[in-house]
Amino acid sequence: MTAPDTIVLIHGFWVTPRSWEGWKAYYEAKGFTVHTPGYPGFEGEVEALRADPTPIADLTVEAIANHLDEFIGSLDTPTKPILMGHSAGGTFLQLMLDRGHGSAAVALNSAPVEGVLVTPWSQLKSVFPVVKNPANHHRAVGLSFEEWTYAFTNTYTEEESRHFYDRYHIPASGRVLIDSVLANVQPGHQDAWVDFSNPNRVPLLFLSGSEDHIMPPAVQASNAKHYKGEGTVTEHETYDGRPHLMVAGPGWEEIADRALEWALAHATSNVTSA
């Protein structure tokens, strides 16, 4: 079988594709073609989205998912790409797998899909700046440096946290976050629903940081246990001492190596339709 030579990295909320800059260069140096698609309207850089967050305020789960679906489906590759997603990018990664994309996938400190009911206190505290005000449903809402440090970089030095805050932080969509919180109490399937019994879903690894406040390991463990598709592979591993932003900061290369090693070892032989 031909090994995948393309990797797609999906970012989460409060950051842009720039948060993958280390991984992109690292994997490209190993000979892979690496794509870091942004959400619709994220054509500008971090500084532009801070100056005008209108594209963020207008986001919906459906719009992001459809945008990623179209992007991944347009790739001209001999085999389906490896997919990796961080935080909310892990949710969108799971939506893409349910739509038939990918040869293998790794979700890092992933936000859950619909139906995962574990909600640790630290998670509630991390997203409270957004969900506390219903009016934020129509806004892009940023984090203060203190809120960012608690949610993203709680094991890093203040200097490291400040560097990542200045380089990566943007506001997040209040609409998407509030709708995600309400998804499990709304009737019927919402936009972040996947078929946990889908037998055609490719292998999926969840990687967690033990000190993650916004998406603690219990969230990924519960998410992984929901998958029941016959013959599918779903695994979960935890890295001690890592915060939410473990795609950056000291030692991220170890995690990138493990993610790639696992994905290549478990990649299916699915070929593209092109």
Side-chain angles (χ1 to χ4, degrees):
M1 128 184 189
T2 302
D5 63 359
T6 301
I7 301 171
V8 177
L9 305 173
I10 305 172
H11 69 89
F13 295 151
W14 285 294
V15 297
T16 73
R18 184 188 285 179
S19 62
W20 287 114
E21 59 186 346
W23 290 53
K24 179 175 170 62
Y26 192 64
Y27 287 155
E28 287 176 340
K30 295 179 180 293
F32 290 89
T33 298
V34 183
H35 300 281
T36 56
Y39 299 160
F42 276 42
E43 292 77 18
E45 263 296 357
V46 168
E47 293 76 15
L49 288 168
R50 287 177 186 156
D52 179 13
T54 302
I56 302 171
D58 293 340
L59 288 174
T60 64
V61 171
E62 181 181 21
I64 297 170
N66 288 341
H67 180 76
L68 292 170
D69 188 5
E70 181 178 359
F71 176 83
I72 297 170
S74 72
L75 296 177
D76 184 13
T77 58
T79 61
K80 293 184 178 182
I82 292 169
L83 306 183
M84 298 185 188
H86 173 245
S87 192
T91 298
F92 292 113
L93 176 150
Q94 293 177 71
L95 297 180
M96 295 303 100
L97 300 187
D98 203 43
R99 297 188 185 193
H101 292 298
S103 60
V106 181
L108 301 105
N109 288 337
S110 178
V113 291
E114 182 182 340
V116 178
L117 302 178
V118 174
T119 310
W121 177 86
S122 65
Q123 183 183 54
L124 293 174
K125 181 178 178 180
S126 297
V127 301
F128 187 70
V130 177
V131 301
K132 66 181 179 181
N133 184 354
N136 285 338
H137 192 270
H138 305 291
R139 299 171 178 163
V141 185
L143 298 175
S144 69
F145 174 64
E146 290 73 20
E147 291 164 345
W148 164 271
T149 299
Y150 180 84
F152 277 76
T153 57
N154 50 294
T155 68
Y156 296 162
T157 67
E158 182 174 355
E159 182 180 5
E160 289 166 340
S161 295
R162 175 61 70 177
H163 168 75
F164 293 130
Y165 183 73
D166 291 343
R167 180 142 184 84
Y168 295 149
H169 171 263
I170 61 168
S173 167
R175 181 198 310 271
V176 173
L177 285 164
I178 292 172
D179 286 353
S180 297
V181 170
L182 297 176
N184 287 323
V185 298
Q186 299 286 347
H189 297 318
Q190 305 303 305
D191 291 337
W193 179 85
V194 301
D195 179 5
F196 288 121
S197 298
N198 181 355
N200 299 314
R201 196 217 71 215
V202 301
L204 170 61
L205 172 65
F206 288 90
L207 293 180
S208 298
S210 68
E211 305 309 306
D212 186 354
H213 282 162
I214 191 169
M215 295 297 167
V219 175
Q220 287 93 64
S222 178
N223 199 154
K225 288 179 180 177
H226 275 72
Y227 280 106
K228 306 295 184 184
E230 184 177 357
T232 58
V233 175
T234 311
E235 297 181 5
H236 176 227
E237 300 175 5
T238 300
Y239 279 83
D240 289 339
R242 307 289 179 141
H244 188 63
L245 193 69
M246 67 180 189
V247 297
W252 64 262
E253 295 91 345
E254 176 189 1
I255 301 170
D257 285 339
R258 175 56 181 158
L260 181 59
E261 173 192 44
W262 191 95
L264 290 174
H266 290 81
T268 67
S269 58
N270 292 335
V271 297
T272 63
S273 57

